Amino acid sequence: AQKITQTQPGMFVQEKEAVTLDCTYDTSDPSYGLFWYKQPSSGEMIFLIYQGSYDQQNATEGRYSLNFQKARKSANLVISASQLGDSAMYFCAMREGLPGSARQLTFGSGTQLTVLP
Amino acid sequence: DAGVTQSPTHLIKTRGQQVTLRCSPKSGHDTVSWYQQALGQGPQFIFQYYEEEERQRGNFPDRFSGHQFPNYSSELNVNALLLGDSALYLCASLRGREGNYGYTFGSGTRLTVV
């Protein structure tokens, strides 16, 4: 079974508008962490935001926020006020286990976001 | 503060050959992981090195092997290359057991097998 599911292969958004990228996950481990990465055409994976399974509040980092719904096992990324430079591939990833376990990341298949001028 | 450095950036090899990819982790990081990213897909975990030992391994054949040096840098070796090994190979580092959000990725090595 897929551990990380991203159902939107491609998304378009108008510049300055907000966009939500979907991510659902599957794990039986009560301790886990969820990550969002941005991958421009250059290939580098750029860390955007992190949410721990025990975190009470949704994570926010500047224009990025994570809509964490634990019961639904979803961790959607919200980008506010989109910019042309936000056009890239976005990946949701999960680390099972506690933060100190340094376990590997499991990635979804990604969503290609295109910001239109 | 240099991030994760990978070399070479691009590589073309012939089927059946062997290849070595290199990674220097971010300053202060001592754990290195390798991922394979086929075109249009998400990265797949290959293995992780910590204290010069392989600690975790994904579902990859023994043709994929690695090494970590005392300075924490790492190599990924792939023997008997197949066309299907063509991919972007990403290296990620983090500091020891602080795996909260310490994964820093390099820009990758794009390997083409012909």
Side-chain angles (χ1 to χ4, degrees):
Chain A
Q2 292 258 6
K3 288 197 171 185
I4 297 288
T5 303
Q6 295 181 253
T7 58
Q8 306 155 312
M11 288 281 286
F12 291 89
V13 64
Q14 209 68 37
E15 193 178 7
K16 299 181 184 178
E17 292 189 349
V19 63
T20 298
L21 306 184
D22 294 342
C23 172
T24 58
Y25 61 92
D26 184 29
T27 180
S28 57
D29 195 327
S31 303
Y32 53 89
L34 297 159
F35 301 74
W36 276 93
Y37 283 88
K38 171 184 178 181
Q39 188 178 42
S41 56
S42 61
E44 182 180 2
M45 296 288 257
I46 301 168
F47 166 76
L48 297 178
I49 197 166
Y50 167 83
Q51 180 85 42
S53 60
Y54 297 116
D55 294 343
Q56 295 297 316
Q57 294 187 330
N58 287 342
T60 60
E61 290 283 351
R63 295 187 298 111
Y64 305 106
S65 60
L66 200 152
N67 184 1
F68 181 46
Q69 298 189 35
K70 197 170 182 177
R72 294 186 176 183
K73 292 189 174 180
S74 74
N76 298 338
L77 176 70
V78 180
I79 305 175
S80 63
S82 296
Q83 302 172 357
L84 294 177
D86 293 335
S87 293
M89 183 71 92
Y90 288 79
F91 289 97
C92 179
M94 177 174 65
R95 179 217 67 240
E96 292 175 296
L98 292 169
S101 67
R103 299 270 295 276
Q104 72 268 23
L105 296 178
T106 300
F107 285 84
S109 55
T111 296
Q112 179 68 47
L113 177 66
T114 303
V115 180
L116 303 172
Chain B
D1 182 20
V4 178
T5 304
Q6 292 187 243
S7 64
T9 55
H10 294 82
L11 202 53
I12 299 175
K13 287 287 189 178
T14 303
R15 189 173 48 183
Q17 285 188 318
Q18 179 264 346
V19 69
T20 298
L21 311 182
R22 295 176 175 82
C23 172
S24 293
K26 182 178 179 178
S27 177
H29 287 189
D30 56 10
T31 301
V32 174
S33 297
W34 288 91
Y35 291 80
Q36 180 196 64
Q37 185 178 17
L39 195 62
Q41 298 182 21
Q44 298 290 317
F45 174 73
I46 302 175
F47 44 53
Q48 181 188 85
Y49 278 84
Y50 173 66
E51 292 184 334
E52 301 180 48
E53 289 188 14
E54 183 182 294
R55 300 291 180 165
Q56 302 170 46
R57 188 177 183 92
N59 188 26
F60 278 80
D62 292 344
R63 298 187 297 109
F64 290 76
S65 63
H67 189 78
Q68 185 179 35
F69 299 93
N71 66 352
Y72 309 122
S73 66
S74 177
E75 288 181 350
L76 164 65
N77 301 292
V78 187
N79 294 322
L81 284 167
L82 304 174
L83 296 180
D85 294 333
S86 295
L88 179 68
Y89 288 85
L90 294 164
C91 174
S93 71
L94 70 144
R95 186 168 62 186
R97 303 294 100 180
E98 296 179 21
N100 200 12
Y101 45 75
Y103 299 91
T104 302
F105 282 81
S107 297
T109 294
R110 192 166 297 279
L111 173 65
T112 302
V113 183
V114 297

